[in-house]
Amino acid sequence: MATDYDAPRKTEEDVSEDSIEELKTRQPGKQSSAVDVDETELAEGFELPGADLSGEELLIQVMPPQADEFTCFNCFLVKHRSQIAAERNGHLYCTECEG
């Protein structure tokens, strides 16, 4: 255990003053009655303003694979052929996944 030598030292009076019974009498109603609260339950009821995207349609143009691209078999990202690091069993792997 680390010792803080710069901290002020307590005298015998200070130590006896900080007894558990005395600390309990100082703050009678300050104890929390809440037990473990599940954060996921709290987040389910929380809705961001303007975040309702249920009626939105995304307009994305999907392009076919280009001749100079490949899809990494590990991360499934489309990368340029210059980033091919390995080929095993007919599957291509990028430099990031192999590095």
Side-chain angles (χ1 to χ4, degrees):
M1 186 168 135
T3 303
D4 185 9
Y5 292 104
D6 294 329
R9 297 183 183 174
K10 293 186 176 186
T11 62
E12 290 294 324
E13 293 175 5
D14 293 338
V15 173
S16 65
E17 186 179 299
D18 292 339
S19 68
I20 292 177
E21 290 78 23
E22 191 169 326
L23 291 174
K24 286 181 182 178
T25 59
R26 287 185 193 169
Q27 299 177 354
K30 299 261 182 172
Q31 293 182 355
S32 174
S33 62
V35 186
D36 296 331
V37 177
D38 190 11
E39 294 175 3
T40 55
E41 289 179 8
L42 291 175
E44 287 175 355
F46 187 73
E47 190 172 323
L48 295 174
D52 184 20
L53 300 176
S54 60
E56 290 291 319
E57 265 190 57
L58 299 177
L59 303 174
I60 299 174
Q61 181 181 3
V62 178
M63 297 180 64
Q66 303 297 309
D68 61 344
E69 295 176 337
F70 76 100
T71 303
C72 177
F73 193 70
N74 189 38
C75 64
F76 302 106
L77 293 177
V78 177
K79 305 235 176 180
H80 190 265
R81 286 208 167 268
S82 64
Q83 295 182 348
I84 295 176
E87 180 179 357
R88 288 186 293 250
N89 299 330
H91 301 295
L92 300 172
Y93 296 89
C94 70
T95 54
E96 292 181 12
C97 292
E98 289 294 310

